[in-house]
Amino acid sequence: MMETANELKVTVRIENPQMRLRYLALAIGLVVLFRNLWIADDAFISMRVMDNFLNGHGLTWNAGERVQVYTNPLWTLLSGALYAILQEPYAALYWLSFVFSGGCLTLLILKTKGSYQAALVIAALLITSRAFVDYSSSGLENPLTHLLILLFLGVHSTAADRRGRVLKLALIAGLATFNRLDTVLLFVIPLVWELARSRSEWPKVLAQLLLGFLPALLWLGFATIYYGFPLPNTYYAKIATGFPRFDILTQGIKYFEDSLNWDTITIPVIIVTTTLMILYRQRERLLLLGGAWLYIGYTIWVGGDFMTGRFFSAPFVLAIALLATSDFAEWFQLGEARRFAGALYLIALLGLTVNAPAMLLNRSDINIEVSPAGIADEKLFYYANTGILNYVRGAPPHRWGLDGIAARRDRVELAVRPTIGFFGYYAGADVYALDLVTLADPLRSRLPGLGRRPGHSE
C-alpha cells in the first residue's frame, strides 16, 4: 500500500509539470491569437447584409435588390446574431473569431498525443503559421471551418458505430459546407470511403449522408428561391469569368508560391505530415489528408485569391490535427522517423525566428505593395485601423469606412466603389453602393471579365 502511494506521488510530480507546460503553451497561443485579431474589408460585406436584415431590408446588399454577396452563410448568420446583441460589428467579429479559434488551439494543444515535447512542437507550429494566426481572426469564416474540421476528426477517430458515425460526420461536414460551400472538398474523400465500405447497407448510409447535409441543402434551396441562384454571386464574379484556364491555373500556382514565400510553416507542415502518413502507411489518415490536397488543388485550379495564405489555413489545421493525434511521442525512438521529428523541430524553430516577430509586433503598413501577381498580406494593410490593439486604443474606422460615414452624412444616393465592405456598412442602406469588381452586382458578374486581380474581375 505504501509503495502504491509512493508511485502515485511520483506520477503526480512527473505529470503536473508536463501539463503546466501545455497550459503555458496554450496561454501563449491565446495571447498571440488575441494580439492578432483584425478585420478585413470583406467581413463588413456580411455586416452590411445583417445590418440591412435587422433594419427590415432583408438579406440584401443594396436595399430592394436581392443578391447573395457573401460566401459564408452560416458564419454570416452567427456573426449577425451576435451583432444584434452587441450592436457593434467589431466586437461581434472579434469575439466570435476568438472563441472559435481559442477552442481550436485548446483542443490541439491539450489533446496532442504523447509527451509534452510533442505538444510544445504542435503549439510552436500553430502560433507561427501565419495563415492559421491571420485567418483565425480577420472576421471571415475560417475559425468556424477550423473548429468543424477538428470536430470531424474527433468523431472520425472515436465513434465506433459506423452508421451513427456517418450521420455525425455528415452533419459536421454539412455544417462546414453551409459555412462555406467549397469546404465540402475537405470531407468528401472520407465520406465517400464510408459509403464505399458499407456496400451491404449503402442505401441507409446514403440516407445518413443526405440527412447530415440537410442544413446545407436547405440553404441552397432557400438561396435559389430568395436570390434566384443557389450559388453566391461571388462565384460568378470570381470564377465564372471566361478567362483562359491556363491563365487561371498559372495564377493559382503563383498563389501557392506566394504562400511558400510569405509563410515558412503552413505548406511545409502539410507536406511533412503527408510524407509521414505515406511512409507509415496510415491509410485512414491519408484519406483525410486527401481532402486537404483536394482543397489545395481546387484553390490552385480556380486561380487562388488576393489574400495570401487564406485558403491554406483549413488544410493546415487538418494536417496539424492529424500530426497531433499520431504517435508523435514514439517518433524519437523509431530510427528513420527521427529525421522527420527533427524536421518538424527545424520548421518550428524557423517559424519562431522568421514568422513570430511579425505576429508579435503587429506592425502595419497601409501603403503595403501588392505583389506583381496581385496578392497581398491583408492583415498588414488593415491592422492600423482594425487590429484589436489599435481599435481599443481608439483608432478611427478604416478610411473606406470614413468615406461611408461621409456619404451617409452628405446623403449620397449612388457610390461606385472598388472596395465595398467598410464603405457599404458605414454608408447605410440609403446609399446604393455599386461594386466595380462585381462581387455585389448580379448583372455585371455574369458578363465576361475585362481585367482581373485574383478574387476580383471587372
Side-chain angles (χ1 to χ4, degrees):
M1 191 71 180
M2 183 66 69
E3 290 179 0
T4 303
N6 289 335
E7 289 174 2
L8 181 60
K9 288 180 181 178
V10 171
T11 302
V12 171
R13 286 173 188 159
I14 293 174
E15 290 182 353
N16 279 348
Q18 292 185 3
M19 287 307 298
R20 282 200 291 268
L21 286 172
R22 288 183 185 240
Y23 282 118
L24 177 61
L26 174 60
I28 293 171
L30 291 174
V31 169
V32 170
L33 287 182
F34 183 82
R35 286 178 60 88
N36 284 274
L37 289 170
W38 64 288
I39 307 296
D41 182 71
D42 280 20
F44 266 67
I45 294 177
S46 296
M47 282 292 100
R48 171 167 160 128
V49 170
M50 293 311 302
D51 190 66
N52 281 349
F53 177 75
L54 294 172
N55 285 287
H57 301 296
L59 293 171
T60 60
W61 169 253
N62 288 311
E65 182 178 82
R66 295 183 183 181
V67 52
Q68 188 179 352
V69 297
Y70 46 92
T71 58
N72 46 13
L74 180 56
W75 178 262
T76 296
L77 295 173
L78 290 175
S79 59
L82 191 56
Y83 169 63
I85 296 170
L86 300 178
Q87 294 295 304
E88 214 292 319
Y90 283 92
L93 293 171
Y94 286 147
W95 279 112
L96 203 61
S97 298
F98 187 70
V99 167
F100 286 141
S101 297
C104 289
L105 202 68
T106 301
L107 288 173
L108 285 168
I109 294 175
L110 297 187
K111 296 296 183 179
T112 295
K113 187 176 180 180
S115 67
Y116 73 94
Q117 294 99 325
L120 294 180
V121 172
I122 291 295
L125 294 172
L126 285 167
I127 65 175
T128 56
S129 165
R130 297 183 73 172
F132 175 73
V133 172
D134 282 9
Y135 291 99
S136 285
S137 58
S138 78
L140 301 172
E141 75 286 340
N142 297 56
L144 181 52
T145 297
H146 298 165
L147 185 59
L148 289 169
I149 288 172
L150 297 187
L151 294 177
F152 185 90
L153 295 182
V155 171
H156 190 274
S157 63
T158 59
D161 176 55
R162 183 172 297 172
R163 284 176 295 176
R165 180 170 79 163
V166 169
L167 178 59
K168 293 175 185 176
L169 292 175
L171 180 58
I172 296 169
L175 288 174
T177 305
F178 185 14
N179 188 44
R180 183 180 174 91
L181 191 61
D182 55 17
T183 56
V184 69
L185 297 173
L186 294 165
F187 311 100
V188 67
I189 293 178
L191 289 177
V192 169
W193 174 248
E194 291 288 340
L195 181 63
R197 67 180 184 174
S198 305
R199 297 174 191 170
S200 62
E201 50 186 14
W202 72 264
K204 294 181 181 179
V205 174
L206 183 60
Q208 298 274 348
L209 288 172
L210 292 174
L211 184 60
F213 275 87
L214 190 58
L217 295 173
L218 288 174
W219 175 262
L220 291 175
F222 166 78
T224 302
I225 296 170
Y226 190 80
Y227 293 115
F229 299 91
L231 301 180
N233 192 68
T234 50
Y235 166 79
Y236 304 97
K238 294 184 177 185
I239 296 176
T241 56
F243 292 111
R245 173 53 56 188
F246 179 79
D247 293 347
I248 295 174
L249 188 59
T250 300
Q251 183 63 44
I253 294 171
K254 290 179 181 178
Y255 184 72
F256 186 86
E257 293 174 344
D258 186 86
S259 180
L260 282 173
N261 294 329
W262 170 76
D263 186 348
T264 59
I265 295 295
T266 301
I267 299 297
V269 165
I270 299 172
I271 293 172
V272 169
T273 303
T274 305
T275 304
L276 280 166
M277 300 310 166
I278 292 173
L279 285 176
Y280 292 98
R281 300 178 182 179
Q282 301 289 311
R283 186 178 66 177
E284 293 283 340
R285 293 174 184 271
L286 280 171
L287 287 171
L288 292 163
L289 272 172
W293 285 107
L294 186 62
Y295 191 74
I296 290 171
Y298 169 78
T299 300
I300 294 172
W301 179 255
V302 299
D305 191 55
F306 66 97
M307 300 184 188
T308 186
R310 176 187 174 187
F311 289 99
F312 297 137
S313 73
F316 171 79
V317 168
L318 199 160
I320 204 81
L322 292 174
L323 196 63
T325 53
S326 299
D327 293 324
F328 199 125
E330 298 178 10
W331 291 356
F332 303 95
Q333 303 166 9
L334 290 178
E336 194 176 319
R338 290 178 185 174
R339 289 196 292 260
F340 295 100
L344 289 169
Y345 269 125
L346 288 175
I347 292 172
L349 181 62
L350 185 62
L352 288 169
T353 55
V354 176
N355 291 354
M359 291 186 283
L360 293 175
L361 294 175
N362 298 120
R363 70 183 182 86
S364 180
D365 179 6
I366 60 173
N367 297 312
I368 186 172
E369 293 185 3
V370 177
S371 76
I375 306 165
D377 186 331
E378 292 288 291
K379 190 189 79 174
L380 293 187
F381 185 84
Y382 290 109
Y383 195 88
N385 296 104
T386 72
I388 191 166
L389 295 185
N390 294 325
Y391 175 76
V392 297
R393 291 169 184 157
H398 191 273
R399 62 181 184 274
W400 299 333
L402 296 177
D403 290 344
I405 293 172
R408 182 196 288 257
R409 181 194 62 218
D410 297 338
R411 298 184 178 181
V412 172
E413 294 183 359
L414 171 66
V416 181
R417 302 281 305 188
T419 52
I420 59 172
F422 292 125
F423 174 85
Y425 171 82
Y426 284 104
D430 291 335
V431 177
Y432 188 97
L434 183 63
D435 178 16
L436 272 179
V437 293
T438 76
L439 298 180
D441 191 325
L443 173 61
R444 292 172 58 243
S445 63
R446 285 156 177 78
L447 299 176
L450 299 176
R452 190 172 194 271
R453 181 188 174 195
H456 298 94
S457 65
E458 299 178 7

